[in-house]
Amino acid sequence: MKELIIKNGLVYDPLNKINGEKMDICIRDDKIVESVSDKAEVIDASGMLVMPGGVDLHSHIAGGEVDTARMLRPEDHYQDYEYKTAITHSGVGYSLPTTYTTGYRYSRMGYTTVMTPSAVALQARHVHEELKDTPMLDSGIFTLLGDWWFSLEHIRDGLLEKNAAHLAWMLNSSKAYAIKVVNPGGLESWGFGRNVRGIDDEVPNFGITPREIVRGLIKANTLLNLPHSIHLHCNRLGQPGNSAVTLETMKAVENLAKDDKPIMHITHVQFNAYGGEDWSTFKSGAEELSKYMNNHNHVTMDMGQVTFTDTTTMTADGPAQFGLYNVTGNKWVNHDVGVETAGGIVPIKYKRSSPVNGLQWSIGLEMALLVKDPWKIFMTTDHPNGGPFTLYPKVITWLMSKDAREKVLKKIHRQAKRKSLLPTIDRELTLYELAVMTRAGTAKVLGMKQKGHLGVGADADVAIYNINPEQVDIAKKYLTFRKALKKAAYTIKGGEIVVKDGKVVKEVFGNVHHLNIETKMPADAYGDLQARFKEYVTVEYENYPIQDGFVHNPISIPVKAGV
């Protein structure tokens, strides 16, 4: 039995309504407990900030698209590297860090849980292999199912309950945590060199629309009682005028909500919050979207904040990436996997001198600051699409300091500055709100009850930062705060001190969380699933499921479905 006590820290723990109270946190083995014995190891956190370990609900850290991007961008490797130490492995990569480096860098910032949001079922086995080599973090994967042919057929034929049972089999087979939907209908259209323009366009060969796909998947998600809502990348990502489509998508599912709970998470909303009709009239759509969010509770979002840096974009949305390739002229890859996805990868450098990039930077922050309830919108950069996760401290200071925002506003292109709504926004997030947007809220929306808080029974994942908010005005001294966030004084993972003064002092491996969904109905809606696999898919039906024992340190979460 190992015991630890964190004494006299200033604790921010929103799920337990603790707002900057000086208190002790007790740990026994890998859990938070009420008290410990006198023999417990002591961390003196006097004058320090204590929060639950960070929970990132959307970060592309593993999978086929990440590996392909690493091959596409050798220049990303030598830009940034990690030395081998007696404790840690060496590694490389700025926007595409290798597996061990990814774990170390998250841990240094006080993060302890990261979900990888885009796994093709056919490659899920490899995603789990990469997570096995990613230390310091708990994790999970979301399976791409928005354009899965079997599901589209079920929705077309009105077999919603059978669709739910089939999707449960897919999630169980890929050892996944949630349903990911990318550009619904658009990926299937991309197979014919096209895209959908809105939620009522007909999807080739299936005769259904993105509206019907999203509604059908939400109904399935609800029937299955899954802990997280569907995780949606909306149609027309990255195109001027797409905020209207985003708004229409939210309205299209209003009547499916029950008990005032979220039924849909819109991810990296910044890339889908654009007004105007073309790039010459490009403007922010944040005001209209945030107004809707402030009056409805059935949707949550994450930011997808753009930072000014050299990074790598990647998404299963092939048509969006083809559009970006045409705009930038940069090298690119279109990565199809057994017609389950249409992934694309394009390097990009976001520049302050670009009127488009400057306004993208503004729009992400506008969304986060105009949505009043921090439990509805969470901080991400859609790593690495808007910038690498290592820039989170910079994003946080933009959210918490108007001075920090104004410093950047002075440097962006004059057209972006003229169109930006930021000069009209005085809000500066509090530490309590920050704790919601980076750990409590993300854990809650994922349905991970043991994460994101410091109550008795929670996982002993804790971040301690060497800054005293009682003595430092964070909005004014934002550079001091940024420095503290970059290198946590302590990161505690599963009850173990793994980072001290910004250095990894112990390497540990977290758990992979996946669902184990029990259904009464069979996964085979038509009675010929094996034959359909042979007809549609390059891998046989029997070879799709990942066997028990393959996933490293699994936590299997039982779910009793309603079908």
Side-chain angles (χ1 to χ4, degrees), residues 164 179 216-226 228-230 263:
I179 295 173
L217 292 175
I218 288 176
K219 289 176 182 176
N221 208 84
T222 302
L223 286 167
L224 294 176
N225 298 317
L226 302 189
H228 185 39
S229 64
I230 68 163
I263 54 170

Side-chain angles (χ1 to χ4, degrees), residues 27 29-31 112 459-462 492-496 498 508:
I27 294 170
D29 295 330
D30 60 351
K31 295 291 180 185
T112 52
D459 287 352
D461 297 345
V462 189
I492 297 165
K493 178 79 195 81
E496 301 274 1
V498 295
V508 298

Side-chain angles (χ1 to χ4, degrees), residues 288-511:
E288 192 175 15
L289 292 181
S290 59
K291 184 177 179 181
Y292 181 87
M293 287 291 290
N294 288 332
N295 289 290
H296 297 83
N297 297 324
H298 65 290
V299 182
T300 56
M301 297 175 162
D302 64 84
M303 293 169 62
Q305 177 63 33
V306 157
T307 57
F308 296 111
T309 192
D310 184 353
T311 192
T312 311
T313 66
M314 61 178 67
T315 169
D317 192 343
Q321 291 298 77
F322 183 61
L324 185 60
Y325 155 71
N326 280 320
V327 169
T328 64
N330 292 339
K331 58 185 175 181
W332 87 300
V333 169
N334 185 202
H335 184 207
D336 182 13
V337 180
V339 298
E340 290 184 29
T341 181
I345 299 155
V346 185
I348 193 169
K349 187 170 186 177
Y350 295 110
K351 301 176 182 176
R352 291 188 182 90
S353 58
S354 161
V356 171
N357 297 161
L359 194 51
Q360 287 179 305
W361 169 81
S362 178
I363 289 169
L365 295 173
E366 291 166 15
M367 284 299 305
L369 295 166
L370 289 174
V371 174
K372 296 176 182 174
D373 185 350
W375 296 93
K376 291 183 179 178
I377 186 164
F378 312 114
M379 192 208 67
T380 66
T381 59
D382 182 21
H383 165 83
N385 287 289
F389 65 82
T390 47
L391 297 181
Y392 282 179
K394 187 173 282 190
V395 177
I396 288 170
T397 52
W398 289 333
L399 291 169
M400 298 187 70
S401 168
K402 190 173 182 183
D403 285 355
R405 299 196 292 268
E406 287 182 345
K407 186 177 179 182
V408 179
L409 268 171
K410 290 176 183 175
K411 298 178 180 177
I412 65 174
H413 193 280
R414 64 181 185 283
Q415 286 184 27
K417 185 177 179 181
R418 179 170 53 80
K419 293 178 180 179
S420 172
L421 302 178
L422 289 178
T424 66
I425 301 173
D426 292 327
R427 185 180 175 193
E428 295 173 327
L429 292 190
T430 65
L431 286 168
Y432 189 84
E433 291 173 319
L434 174 67
V436 173
M437 290 179 68
T438 56
R439 44 265 288 166
T442 45
K444 183 179 180 183
V445 79
L446 287 168
M448 303 181 92
K449 294 180 180 176
Q450 77 284 15
K451 299 290 185 189
H453 71 100
L454 299 173
V456 172
D459 287 352
D461 297 345
V462 189
I464 305 174
Y465 302 104
N466 190 8
I467 191 162
N468 187 343
E470 290 183 331
Q471 296 180 357
V472 177
D473 182 347
I474 288 172
K476 297 298 180 187
K477 300 289 186 182
Y478 59 87
L479 292 177
T480 303
F481 186 46
R482 185 182 297 174
K483 186 178 177 182
L485 294 174
K486 283 182 180 176
K487 295 184 177 181
Y490 292 91
T491 301
I492 297 165
K493 178 79 195 81
E496 301 274 1
I497 298 173
V498 295
V499 167
K500 186 176 181 182
D501 297 328
K503 294 183 179 177
V504 175
V505 295
K506 185 169 186 176
E507 184 177 274
V508 298
F509 285 85
N511 302 108

Side-chain angles (χ1 to χ4, degrees), residues 25-267:
I25 302 295
C26 297
I27 294 170
R28 181 175 301 120
D29 295 330
D30 60 351
K31 295 291 180 185
I32 306 291
V33 295
E34 188 72 40
S35 61
V36 289
S37 69
D38 294 339
K39 296 178 181 176
E41 183 180 353
V42 177
I43 293 178
D44 182 3
S46 301
M48 295 188 188
L49 178 63
V50 179
M51 290 183 175
V55 178
D56 193 341
L57 85 170
H58 189 104
S59 179
H60 299 266
I61 61 170
E65 59 192 2
V66 181
D67 285 341
T68 305
R70 287 175 181 140
M71 288 189 283
L72 180 69
R73 299 209 66 197
E75 69 274 16
D76 190 78
H77 302 186
Y78 63 74
Q79 280 188 16
D80 204 345
Y81 46 87
E82 292 266 341
Y83 289 109
K84 184 181 186 306
T85 71
I87 296 169
T88 61
H89 290 67
S90 58
V92 294
Y94 174 67
S95 67
L96 302 159
T98 45
T99 51
Y100 280 86
T101 297
T102 295
Y104 302 148
R105 290 181 178 175
Y106 260 114
S107 190
R108 288 184 188 124
M109 298 191 305
Y111 272 76
T112 52
T113 302
V114 178
M115 307 301 276
T116 189
S118 182
V120 181
L122 196 56
Q123 290 189 332
R125 195 180 305 272
H126 177 66
V127 181
H128 285 296
E129 286 174 334
E130 280 200 81
L131 294 178
K132 182 181 177 182
D133 276 351
T134 306
M136 322 300 276
L137 302 171
D138 280 3
S139 59
I141 71 172
F142 302 165
T143 304
L144 286 159
L145 292 168
D147 281 69
W148 178 241
W149 283 359
F150 300 89
S151 180
L152 296 183
E153 289 179 335
H154 298 154
I155 293 171
R156 177 197 64 196
D157 297 340
L159 304 174
L160 297 182
E161 292 186 344
K162 292 182 177 179
N163 188 42
H166 178 76
L167 293 174
W169 182 81
M170 287 296 294
L171 290 170
N172 288 341
S173 296
S174 51
K175 296 284 189 278
Y177 190 83
I179 295 173
K180 175 70 180 296
V181 187
V182 171
N183 186 8
L187 307 193
E188 182 59 26
S189 299
W190 180 241
F192 303 92
R194 304 199 297 268
N195 194 2
V196 293
R197 295 164 298 177
I199 66 171
D200 292 314
D201 276 14
E202 189 171 295
V203 179
N205 295 326
F206 291 93
I208 57 176
T209 64
R211 179 192 298 269
E212 292 172 297
I213 295 172
V214 171
R215 286 180 60 85
L217 292 175
I218 288 176
K219 289 176 182 176
N221 208 84
T222 302
L223 286 167
L224 294 176
N225 298 317
L226 302 189
H228 185 39
S229 64
I230 68 163
H231 198 91
L232 175 66
H233 157 140
C234 287
N235 298 111
R236 290 191 60 190
L237 178 133
Q239 298 179 31
N242 62 17
S243 63
V245 177
T246 306
L247 186 61
E248 199 173 353
T249 304
M250 292 192 287
K251 290 179 178 177
V253 302
E254 275 181 20
N255 65 350
L256 299 180
K258 297 177 181 176
D259 305 325
D260 216 26
K261 293 181 179 176
I263 54 170
M264 180 169 71
H265 179 84
I266 292 180
T267 191

